[in-house]
Amino acid sequence: MQSTVSLYGVLIADVVASRSTPDLRSSLNDKLRIASIAQLDEQLIRVPYAVTGGDEFQVVAARLERIPKLLPGSTLRVVGSKVPRRGARQLH
């Protein structure tokens, strides 16, 4: 008997040092729209990125094994946040 249970992974992230970025919300929306188009085409995500708070955003991965491709450098680099090299693996 095959299982009908589906598992989904959700990435939730904050932009590091968001208070020091003027007009962050507009810039974040623009860059996440571009990332959404590319990552939907690559079938990495199920739905476009959504800004859920002032500097918080989230996305649903297309499959659990695709989550590492979304973490953290690729997503954060697209968003344009400044992440110190030592902290590059941390999502705040």
Side-chain angles (χ1 to χ4, degrees):
M1 174 193 249
Q2 280 190 330
S3 173
T4 59
V5 175
S6 296
L7 297 175
Y8 298 98
V10 177
L11 170 65
I12 301 172
D14 269 359
V15 176
V16 176
S18 61
R19 293 178 192 252
S20 64
T21 305
D23 198 25
L24 173 73
R25 185 76 180 231
S26 175
S27 175
L28 186 60
N29 279 323
D30 290 344
K31 291 177 181 181
L32 288 175
R33 183 175 33 79
I34 293 166
S36 292
I37 292 167
Q39 293 177 358
L40 282 165
D41 285 347
E42 294 176 43
Q43 297 181 344
L44 294 175
I45 60 176
R46 294 183 64 82
V47 295
Y49 283 86
V51 177
T52 55
D55 68 343
E56 181 181 285
F57 60 92
Q58 65 184 9
V59 71
V60 179
R63 298 175 56 126
L64 287 177
E65 64 270 12
R66 298 207 172 122
I67 291 174
K69 291 188 177 192
L70 300 173
L71 291 174
S74 60
T75 301
L76 294 179
R77 209 173 18 250
V78 170
V79 173
S81 67
K82 297 175 184 173
V83 178
R85 288 197 184 271
R86 282 189 355 214
R89 301 295 295 171
Q90 299 173 358
L91 294 176
H92 297 275

